[in-house]
Amino acid sequence: MRHVWAVPVLASTLLLAGCGARGEEQKIEFRVPVFVESVGTGTVEDRIVATGSLRATEVVELRADSGGALEIAAGASGRRLAEGDRVAAGQTVAVITGEEVRLAARTDATRQRYEAAQRDYASKKTLFDDGLLSEEMFRIVETTLADAKIEWERSLLTEARSKLVTPISGVILRLARDAGGTPVAGGQLVPPGYVVAQISPTGGLIADVDLVGRDVARVRAGLPARIRHHAWEDRTFDGRVLRLAPSLDPQRRTLRAEVEVRNPEGTLRPGMFVEVTLIAERREGVPVVPREAVTERGGRKVVFVLNGQKVNRREVGVGLGDDEQIEITSGVEPGERIVVRGLETLTDGTSVRTTGA
């Protein structure tokens, strides 16, 4: 009989043991994986990004006063000047020669006439001083001398203008081309008024920018600017807003802003299409966080501050910012650690697990 009851007792013992294991199951807590970062300090800007075209600040045109044969002068290297060469103020760029120039100047004829008028004036003045010539006749001699001098000086000026001299230092933008844009050969005849050269300084350029909407009220003369061209992606050029147009464009409803661009090395060229960033406001040494760390809950800007293994939702005030970071005006202090990634499902008091920083 003792052996008959042994099996039921053993089975009961195993059954009770199994029930005890299921009753003592452990509670598992789920933690949201997040990336965190400390609140830092930095510089933030209120930026207005636009596009514009570069142009020269001024352009000087050298024109032929009289027709003749065109000869392009040589530069410092000894070769004929060409577009893109730099010239200094007072440098001769070209000379117009030939019979037309000589006839227009008539230097010899006017000089002889002036010398004759001087001799006549000297003799008549002696007679006038001795009382042998009336005052009326002497005034006519004086007038004749003055007219002869003016004609001679005009001839000298016409002759001098056959040498086309640049009044400014700069770069030759255009040199000796015909109406179709083809370069003109040396010695070719050109008519009076022909534009021989266009010269402009390139140490500073102007970017014409069109402003729209609310940006019209945010821009004023003197604002700093940064200029970029896609050919130099890692380089920016400094500038400032020079002036604003007095009225809006009636067709496009835009306001033209002229941005002065510093270009000391002549890297940028007139005609280039550039990106212009105007700095409406700049703040340095302020608390900043990544823009993605700030979210909205109930219509309010909040961040999630790490507190041990949980996060606390905290309402914050925001200021200036860009696509990467934003200024925090209230709510958190530099050094506090906040969630920057993985905050989509977070609420106040959520348990988290930091997976990166």
Side-chain angles (χ1 to χ4, degrees):
M1 292 296 294
R2 286 195 302 270
H3 294 289
V4 172
W5 286 101
V7 174
V9 171
L10 178 58
S12 299
T13 304
L14 293 175
L15 180 62
L16 291 176
C19 293
R22 284 194 299 270
E24 296 176 1
E25 290 180 347
Q26 294 183 352
K27 183 179 181 181
I28 299 176
E29 182 180 27
F30 176 73
R31 296 178 182 176
V32 179
V34 295
F35 282 71
V36 299
E37 187 174 313
S38 297
V39 179
T41 57
T43 300
V44 290
E45 297 173 335
D46 181 13
R47 302 170 183 168
I48 301 170
V49 181
T51 55
S53 297
L54 294 178
R55 62 174 172 85
T57 56
E58 58 180 347
V59 178
V60 171
E61 286 189 345
L62 302 183
R63 292 176 177 266
D65 281 352
S66 57
L70 174 66
E71 295 293 343
I72 303 299
S77 62
R79 64 172 178 81
R80 167 178 158 152
L81 290 172
E83 292 174 353
D85 287 348
R86 293 185 177 276
V87 291
Q91 182 175 340
T92 299
V93 176
V95 178
I96 306 296
T97 62
E99 188 65 16
E100 291 187 37
V101 175
R102 188 187 67 80
L103 291 175
R106 296 178 295 120
T107 307
D108 291 340
T110 56
R111 178 179 56 80
Q112 291 175 7
R113 189 177 299 116
Y114 176 55
E115 291 175 350
Q118 283 182 312
R119 290 192 298 268
D120 186 50
Y121 174 82
S123 63
K124 293 298 192 296
K125 189 175 188 306
T126 301
L127 294 176
F128 177 72
D129 292 340
D130 293 341
L132 302 176
L133 187 69
S134 67
E135 181 177 352
E136 182 180 356
M137 292 298 295
F138 182 67
R139 297 305 174 209
I140 293 176
V141 173
E142 281 186 324
T143 302
T144 301
L145 175 61
D147 290 343
K149 183 179 181 181
I150 291 173
E151 286 297 321
W152 183 60
E153 290 176 345
R154 184 177 294 137
S155 296
L156 292 176
L157 180 60
T158 301
E159 187 178 72
R161 284 181 175 175
S162 66
K163 291 184 178 181
L164 303 182
V165 178
T166 172
I168 65 171
S169 298
V171 173
I172 300 176
L173 302 181
R174 182 183 176 92
L175 180 64
R177 291 181 179 268
D178 61 20
T182 303
V184 172
Q188 184 169 334
L189 295 178
V190 296
Y194 173 75
V195 178
V196 176
Q198 291 180 335
I199 299 170
S200 172
T202 57
L205 299 173
I206 296 294
D208 290 320
V209 177
D210 290 330
L211 304 174
V212 297
R214 297 176 57 188
D215 294 341
V216 171
R218 299 165 62 195
V219 177
R220 62 184 183 277
L223 286 184
R226 290 192 294 268
I227 294 83
R228 294 181 59 188
H229 188 273
H230 64 83
W232 299 276
E233 295 183 356
D234 58 344
R235 182 177 179 184
T236 59
F237 300 83
D238 295 330
R240 68 182 182 90
V241 178
L242 189 61
R243 64 178 65 89
L244 300 175
S247 62
L248 271 67
D249 184 289
Q251 280 77 39
R252 303 173 61 186
R253 313 305 300 174
T254 58
L255 180 68
R256 173 62 56 87
E258 296 183 7
V259 180
E260 185 180 39
V261 184
R262 287 187 283 275
N263 187 38
E265 300 174 2
T267 304
L268 299 175
R269 306 293 179 87
M272 283 184 170
F273 195 66
V274 294
E275 178 189 85
V276 180
T277 302
L278 306 177
I279 313 302
E281 188 177 354
R282 179 184 174 92
R283 297 176 187 168
E284 299 180 355
V286 297
V288 294
V289 300
R291 179 171 286 277
E292 59 186 352
V294 181
T295 187
E296 283 197 11
R297 294 290 192 275
R300 298 180 179 182
K301 301 290 185 183
V302 300
V303 298
F304 289 92
V305 182
L306 187 65
N307 183 13
Q309 295 183 348
K310 295 186 177 182
V311 292
N312 297 129
R313 189 181 73 180
R314 197 176 300 177
E315 184 178 346
V316 294
V318 298
L320 302 182
D322 52 37
D323 294 337
E324 297 180 357
Q325 63 179 12
I326 189 170
E327 175 191 8
I328 299 297
T329 59
S330 62
V332 292
E333 298 294 332
E336 291 188 282
R337 303 180 73 193
I338 61 173
V339 178
V340 296
R341 287 176 56 188
L343 64 162
E344 292 80 4
T345 61
L346 297 183
T347 58
D348 190 37
T350 299
S351 298
V352 297
R353 172 173 54 88
T354 59
T355 60

